[in-house]
Structure formats: structure tokens, C-alpha cells
């Protein structure tokens, strides 16, 4: 289950990708080992975004 800080980061990233950059989001999941939230986005699926449990975006 994502943390509140991860959900805030996901909201900001989703807003930017879909409304400003007009790019699709293909996958959002939680890595059970590291507890990072993983986002796979853009048309060519080359943009990988990780959000740490404290909300830091990689």
C-alpha cells in the first residue's frame, strides 16, 4: 500500500504527464522489496519514475 507522501507525488506526476505533457501512464505499482512506487509512462514507455516512501521522486 502506498504512503500518503507517495500518493501526493503520484498526483503531481500524473497531473503533469497527462494534462501538461499529454503523455499516457501505462503502469503504476508498488515494489514490495523496496516499497517504492513505480510509474511507467510516455508513448514509447521509456520514462520510469520511482517515488520513495518519503515522497522523494527519482
Amino acid at each position: 500500500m502506498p504512503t500518503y507522501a507517495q500518493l501526493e507525488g503520484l498526483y503531481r506526476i500524473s497531473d503533469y504527464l497527462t494534462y501538461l505533457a499529454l503523455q499516457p501512464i501505462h503502469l503504476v505499482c508498488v515494489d514490495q522489496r523496496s516499497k517504492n512506487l513505480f510509474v511507467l509512462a510516455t508513448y514509447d514507455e521509456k520514462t520510469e519514475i520511482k517515488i520513495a516512501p518519503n515522497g522523494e521522486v527519482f
Side-chain angles (χ1 to χ4, degrees), residues 14-54:
S14 299
D15 182 58
Y16 172 77
L17 285 172
T18 57
Y19 292 110
L20 299 176
L22 301 175
Q23 296 293 317
I25 296 173
H26 296 281
L27 176 71
V28 176
C29 64
V30 176
D31 182 357
Q32 294 300 320
R33 294 171 291 159
S34 64
K35 303 298 184 203
N36 288 339
L37 192 65
F38 179 79
V39 180
L40 182 64
T42 67
Y43 286 107
D44 56 4
E45 296 181 7
K46 289 187 178 180
T47 302
E48 298 176 2
I49 302 167
K50 294 179 187 174
I51 306 172
N54 65 358

